Amino acid sequence: QAQLAESGGGSAQAGGSLRLTCTVSGLRSDYINSAYCMGWFRQFPGQEREEVAHLDTDKSTFYDDSVKGRFSISKDSASKTLFLQMNSLNPDDTAKYYCAAHLVCGRLQEASFWGQGIQVTVSS
């Protein structure tokens, strides 16, 4: 069965950058390249998960308005890795971040596969 695991989180100062990495096991690289929509969510304390960004198999992207121009999603299918480059961080970005995969981007909230989540904390 497929497993996703996030890394690269931690602490940053406001205005700084972090890059999150999601490594995938149990899926062929061609599935990652051509079959699965992959994306990132974040969860603030006491709230539901919210979609941050996703990358479809046709290379189209989605970004939540709160991160447009600051975050960038990408993947390396050969290494089965998904990235989220986070620049110009602010304290409102403090949350637990999850990567996810689903065959349909519109249903990513009900992802077939979720990572365990990783904390990002941004100080002012």
Side-chain angles (χ1 to χ4, degrees):
Q1 60 188 55
Q3 293 185 341
L4 282 62
E6 301 91 344
S7 62
S11 299
Q13 296 289 320
S17 298
L18 289 172
R19 187 181 71 169
L20 303 184
T21 297
C22 174
T23 57
V24 181
S25 61
L27 284 177
R28 290 161 53 110
S29 60
D30 58 332
Y31 288 0
I32 296 170
N33 183 54
S34 303
Y36 280 88
C37 176
M38 302 191 70
W40 292 91
F41 288 72
R42 62 186 179 185
Q43 186 173 33
F44 305 108
Q47 300 185 27
E48 300 293 324
R49 289 176 182 172
E50 301 177 359
E51 188 170 349
V52 175
H54 71 235
L55 174 62
D56 205 350
T57 54
D58 65 357
K59 312 302 181 184
S60 64
T61 58
F62 161 83
Y63 294 97
D64 184 76
D65 286 343
S66 65
V67 306
K68 283 182 179 177
R70 301 190 298 120
F71 291 10
S72 179
I73 188 170
S74 61
K75 67 181 179 182
D76 181 355
S77 298
S79 65
K80 299 189 287 187
T81 307
L82 178 74
F83 303 98
L84 184 67
Q85 179 67 44
M86 304 186 295
N87 298 323
S88 302
L89 288 164
N90 62 67
D92 291 337
D93 296 316
T94 295
K96 193 168 186 179
Y97 285 73
Y98 299 82
C99 61
H102 199 284
L103 291 171
V104 180
C105 283
R107 299 177 183 173
L108 194 60
Q109 183 74 249
E110 295 78 47
S112 299
F113 311 109
W114 289 97
Q116 77 277 17
I118 191 165
Q119 181 68 33
V120 170
T121 301
V122 183
S123 59
S124 59

